[in-house]
Amino acid sequence: MPSPQTFEQASADFLARYPSYATTSKLDDLRASEYTRLDRDGHVYLDYTGGGIYADSQLNAHFELLRHNTFGNPHSHNPTSMAMTELVERARVYVLDYFNAPADEYCAIFTPNASGALKLVGESYPFTPGGHFAISADDHNSVNGIREFARAKGSHVFYLPVQAPELRLDLAEVERTLAHNDPTYNSLFAYPAQSNYSGVKHPLELIEMAHSYGWDVCLDSAAFAPTSRLDIGRWQPDFVTLSFYKMFGYPTGVGALIARRSALQKLQRPWFAGGTIKIASVSAERHYFADDEAAFEDGTVNYLTIPAVAIGLRHLEAIGMDTISTRVRCLTGWLIDALTSLRHRSGVPLAHV
């Protein structure tokens, strides 16, 4: 058997195979300045799909904002509430700008997380007999759960299989399923931009394909957004769901549904709550929903933490998504190379990927 490499030899070999890794050195500087607790506590943190790690500067900026201001419930009308309303709306605009979602076409709805955003779509989508719900077999459970709303309203549910060994969607089968649609009925296609299960990135071109056959598209971006740039203006999905803590760690408890305004008008909420309506009558038992995003934000939003969303997005922009994507690509390639090169003493591969 060959002698094991020293760390220096392994590093040189790695950089020779992945020279673009050297362009991501700013992340090493960031780790030394913003994430010192990892080395202090001896952590190797690998649960990046479960939740990102927040930087010290994110906490400092948010706490300074809270420490030096007085904020009130944005549902009220007084100086402290108006100041909070301005920050919430500023964060909403920042979310749209970050994902290049034109404000005249899209709105950002704050939710507790990506699952909350998916539930909003599922419970409100106008499924009917004759309509369809198509879903990728590797979708997150919260996407998978929308099938219960579809079935309850009589729509047909189709699962789109992923193929071994690469666990990618069979694009011919996807098109056959999407083509099996009567556009006079409402049909929803939901799939992950990146699979939580396998890490596979499915083609964003499927959005346009689905639209051409009369489907609305819900794009689960929870696993995709932390390491990849999603240009909503280019791809034009109808609904995008995500959790911000997966992108930059802090705050938890805030996600978003980014919805095309024309698609949002199709949704029919099964109930109303404080903040979602213009008026509710007890005697007449009637209610009138508020416009756009306000009709979908039940009760009081998590207003003190929402400004931290804009702080986190600015942190990502300062790093650069290309830098993050490059490092992830290099490390993923190296991991696969290393796993597939391992051998038993007999020479038989130790792992198959």
Side-chain angles (χ1 to χ4, degrees):
M1 295 180 65
S3 301
Q5 290 181 311
T6 64
F7 177 78
E8 290 74 17
Q9 290 171 330
S11 296
D13 180 58
F14 168 72
L15 289 173
R17 284 190 286 169
Y18 298 95
S20 59
Y21 185 86
T23 66
T24 69
S25 60
K26 65 167 13 177
L27 293 175
D28 299 309
D29 299 333
L30 270 174
R31 180 187 170 106
S33 61
E34 292 277 16
Y35 305 92
T36 56
R37 61 192 181 279
L38 291 174
D39 292 328
R40 182 194 66 212
D41 299 333
H43 285 304
V44 177
Y45 189 86
L46 299 176
D47 194 23
Y48 195 48
T49 299
I53 301 180
Y54 50 82
D56 288 347
S57 61
Q58 289 175 251
L59 303 183
N60 294 336
H62 187 211
F63 295 158
E64 283 298 296
L65 179 70
L66 299 180
R67 187 176 291 116
H68 295 292
N69 293 277
T70 303
F71 296 119
N73 189 326
H75 282 172
S76 301
H77 294 277
N78 58 65
T80 60
S81 297
M82 296 305 291
M84 192 70 254
T85 298
E86 182 179 349
L87 284 177
V88 169
E89 295 310 309
R90 198 181 299 170
R92 202 186 302 278
V93 170
Y94 210 107
V95 170
L96 293 177
D97 288 346
Y98 179 86
F99 290 101
N100 190 32
D104 59 337
E105 295 182 41
Y106 287 88
C107 63
I109 299 163
F110 288 119
T111 63
N113 41 46
S115 294
L118 289 161
K119 183 173 182 288
L120 276 179
V121 175
E123 70 180 7
S124 304
Y125 192 79
F127 292 114
T128 59
H132 305 293
F133 177 52
I135 179 174
S136 169
D138 62 343
D139 260 312
H140 188 279
N141 275 342
S142 298
V143 187
N144 199 6
I146 294 176
R147 74 182 186 197
E148 302 306 315
F149 294 115
R151 284 174 174 169
K153 296 178 181 178
S155 289
H156 298 287
V157 176
F158 295 97
Y159 275 99
L160 301 170
V162 293
Q163 294 181 308
E166 293 188 349
L167 303 180
R168 298 186 182 278
L169 288 166
D170 181 340
L171 299 186
E173 177 63 24
V174 171
E175 184 158 21
R176 280 193 295 270
T177 299
L178 294 178
H180 181 70
N181 182 53
D182 182 345
T184 61
Y185 294 96
N186 291 303
S187 293
L188 181 66
F189 172 42
Y191 79 102
Q194 180 171 331
S195 173
N196 267 43
Y197 173 68
S198 66
V200 164
K201 292 180 180 179
H202 296 305
L204 295 175
E205 288 82 1
L206 292 178
I207 299 170
E208 183 179 358
M209 179 191 294
H211 283 162
S212 70
Y213 291 111
W215 295 71
D216 295 314
V217 179
C218 180
L219 186 71
D220 174 20
S221 300
F224 183 85
T227 60
S228 304
R229 170 69 71 180
L230 176 61
D231 188 335
I232 290 178
R234 176 185 177 187
W235 299 108
Q236 299 188 333
D238 300 286
F239 307 104
V240 175
T241 59
L242 51 91
S243 289
F244 293 112
Y245 71 88
K246 291 191 175 185
M247 296 175 66
F248 39 76
Y250 177 87
T252 57
V254 183
L257 169 63
I258 302 176
R260 187 195 293 270
R261 294 183 186 275
S262 57
L264 198 66
Q265 292 175 1
K266 290 185 178 182
L267 302 189
Q268 302 163 359
R269 298 221 59 193
W271 82 308
F272 64 90
T276 63
I277 53 172
K278 295 178 180 177
I279 188 172
S281 170
V282 175
S283 59
E285 296 188 8
R286 298 287 300 273
H287 62 277
Y288 299 90
F289 277 106
D291 298 323
D292 295 329
E293 64 269 5
F296 294 86
E297 292 177 342
D298 298 332
T300 301
V301 295
N302 196 349
Y303 60 89
L304 288 180
T305 60
I306 284 175
V309 169
I311 292 169
L313 291 174
R314 284 195 291 269
H315 177 64
L316 284 187
E317 287 182 322
I319 298 171
M321 191 53 71
D322 287 343
T323 299
I324 296 172
S325 297
T326 296
R327 177 161 288 211
V328 169
R329 184 172 63 253
C330 292
L331 291 176
T332 302
W334 171 81
L335 174 63
I336 293 173
D337 289 346
L339 284 173
T340 54
S341 67
L342 294 174
R343 295 286 187 275
H344 290 283
R345 290 183 182 275
S346 63
V348 174
L350 183 67
H352 290 284
V353 178

